[in-house]
Structure formats: structure tokens, C-alpha cells
Amino acid sequence: LPSSFRVTPEDPDKIDQIVQRLDAGGDPQLAAIDEVRNREEDTNKILSATGLVKGLTAGMAVLLVLASIALIANTIRLSVFARRREVEVMKLVGATNWFIRWPFVIEGIIVGFFGGLLAVLLLAIVKTTFVDPLSERFALLAAPDTIDFPLLVVVLMLACIAVSAIGSGITLR
């Protein structure tokens, strides 16, 4: 059987350039090359599917962030409503707006912190229960270019705190 070489590009979007270099006008450029097979259709299907997944993921992330901000804002609004008499007394005594707002902002940040802690706990359980055992069988799950779990935890916690602070800030305007 003749030898064959598989060329796997680092950037799949440049597959046309690679094919042109190896097989310009249907005539292979190197004497050792008899035929160049291009799996452009398969590559385009995979690229379109991954593009769709990336777009849907980004859209869902934006919706989840907006929903989180709305949820935190509603929680703070209920907290302000529950303490409206205290706020009224503080205003009558001469408290500044920020003196009144800071406890609510801190409450929102604490709610966001504990929500993030719960999310990290659930993520760790799912990772150790499902992802780690399956990554030995499926190479896609053991992809080397994914974010490290400790870094993911830090990013998630910072995002939770930031979203809750933004939700509190929007509510207390």
C-alpha cells in the first residue's frame, strides 16, 4: 500500500491555503504526492456546528448574566422595602445616601458570594462524578486547551461577586 500523510492544520480556517500549496491547479507540487484529498465539506460542517454552539453559548451566558442581575436587584429591592422604616428614620436623622446604600450593596455581594460558592460546589461534584471518569474514554472531554479548574473557580467567584455588585448598584440608584 502506498504511504499516506495526514496534514492536520492548527487553524482549520486556513485549509484552503494548505490545499493550494500542496495541490495547485490539480497538479501536486511535490513529486512524492500523487493525490491530495480535501475534506473541506467535513471541515465546514464541523466549523459551522462549533460556531453555532459558540454563538448559543455566548447568548445563553448573556441571558444568564442579565437574569442574575435582575434576581439580585429584586432581592435587594425586597430588602430595602422590608427595611423602609429604618431607612426613613436614617434619612430623618441626616444619613447620606451612600451611608444608607452600603449595607444593601454588601448584602448583595454576600448573596452573590454564597451563590457562587454553591455553583462551585455543584461544579466540583459534577466534575468528579461525571467528567473525570468519562474523560478517560472520550478524548473530546480530555481536551488539553480547556481552562484549569482552580482558575475556573476564581473566575466564577469573581464573576458572581461582580454581577451581584452590579445588581445591587442598579437597584440602589
Side-chain angles (χ1 to χ4, degrees), residues 20-21 40 47 61 63 67 72 75 80 110 115 121 130 134 137 144 158 166 170 172:
Q20 285 179 350
R21 287 281 287 180
E40 187 175 0
L47 286 175
L63 285 176
I72 294 290
T75 302
V80 168
I110 290 172
L121 180 66
F130 297 112
L134 290 177
R137 293 185 185 170
L158 290 176
I166 290 169
I170 288 173
L172 297 172

Side-chain angles (χ1 to χ4, degrees), residues 17-35:
Q17 296 172 358
I18 295 170
V19 169
Q20 285 179 350
R21 287 281 287 180
L22 294 176
D23 191 27
D27 185 28
Q29 297 297 307
L30 300 173
I33 298 176
D34 293 328
E35 172 185 19

